[in-house]
Amino acid sequence: MKIQNLTERIIDKLSSNFDIKKNDILDGIQYDFSGIYTEETTKYILSKELVYDSFSSNETVLCKTFADHEFSMDIDTLETYLMKNLNFFKGKKENQMSSMISFIYIGGPLSDTDRDSIKKFKFHKSFLFGIKGWINTKIIYIDITNKEVITNRMGKKDMVFFNSFFDD
């Protein structure tokens, strides 16, 4: 399977729930595609004009492909990038609570150091002890040569989804 085919298949599956933009640039980094999924829940009293509770959650997917042995996991750079773009990932809505950022990297075999860095990576940011929301981050690396998916702890639930691309 070629990287371009895999990227197109991922876009095809995600496009039913995500607003996909191809070749998107965020803070100077070009991604093959980005996607945003937003879910909003609102509770009303008697009519829709009287809102007594609402919250919004979103997930941002950023996908980038690499040539063999080009990928290098630099935790400090990624954390700096996340902190710099925190307002973008958090969103502008007042009722924004949960935000998930998913970095999908596609490339060749990983070094043991990069593999360990991905598995140990954790980025969680809460705002006012979680009262004003929080952000979590997933790292998903797809090794197309060995047909393997490597994730951090937050991305474990998505392994089944991404492994399904190797079944065909």
Side-chain angles (χ1 to χ4, degrees):
M1 180 185 308
K2 292 185 177 181
I3 288 177
Q4 187 62 32
N5 290 344
L6 179 62
T7 305
E8 290 298 323
R9 290 178 63 200
I10 292 171
I11 289 172
D12 191 44
K13 278 200 171 183
L14 292 178
S15 64
S16 61
N17 295 321
F18 286 81
D19 293 330
I20 302 287
K21 285 184 190 174
K22 289 185 177 179
N23 299 318
D24 197 15
I25 297 174
L26 177 61
D27 196 25
I29 297 178
Q30 181 165 2
Y31 293 96
D32 294 359
F33 73 88
S34 67
I36 295 177
Y37 169 81
T38 303
E39 180 179 329
E40 189 162 334
T41 303
T42 305
K43 295 180 181 177
Y44 306 99
I45 299 174
L46 299 176
S47 75
K48 288 192 173 185
E49 295 168 0
L50 297 171
V51 176
Y52 80 91
D53 187 25
S54 72
F55 67 91
S56 177
S57 60
N58 70 15
E59 181 169 351
T60 304
V61 174
L62 300 166
C63 180
K64 188 167 180 67
T65 58
F66 294 90
D68 279 354
H69 307 292
E70 185 183 51
F71 179 80
S72 176
M73 183 70 185
D74 186 357
I75 291 174
D76 294 333
T77 304
L78 184 56
E79 287 177 345
T80 303
Y81 179 77
L82 288 166
M83 290 301 289
K84 187 176 175 185
N85 296 295
L86 215 51
N87 289 333
F88 171 79
F89 294 124
K90 169 103 172 67
K92 295 178 181 173
K93 292 182 177 182
E94 270 188 38
N95 64 352
Q96 181 69 38
M97 292 303 290
S98 171
S99 299
M100 179 65 75
I101 308 159
S102 300
F103 291 97
I104 303 170
Y105 300 123
I106 304 171
L110 282 177
S111 68
D112 290 338
T113 308
D114 290 333
R115 180 183 298 267
D116 290 341
S117 295
I118 289 172
K119 287 182 177 180
K120 292 178 182 174
F121 182 79
K122 181 179 179 182
F123 182 85
H124 173 82
K125 176 76 177 162
S126 66
F127 304 97
L128 196 64
F129 305 107
I131 294 171
K132 292 194 171 192
W134 60 89
I135 293 176
N136 286 315
T137 305
K138 295 181 203 173
I139 304 289
I140 300 159
Y141 186 87
I142 302 172
D143 179 350
I144 199 158
T145 306
N146 297 319
K147 296 183 176 183
E148 184 181 15
V149 178
I150 298 113
T151 68
N152 65 347
R153 190 174 183 156
M154 292 300 293
K156 290 268 187 227
K157 292 179 184 173
D158 294 336
M159 285 185 80
V160 173
F161 175 78
F162 288 102
N163 275 324
S164 70
F165 293 106
F166 296 127
D167 295 340
D168 299 336

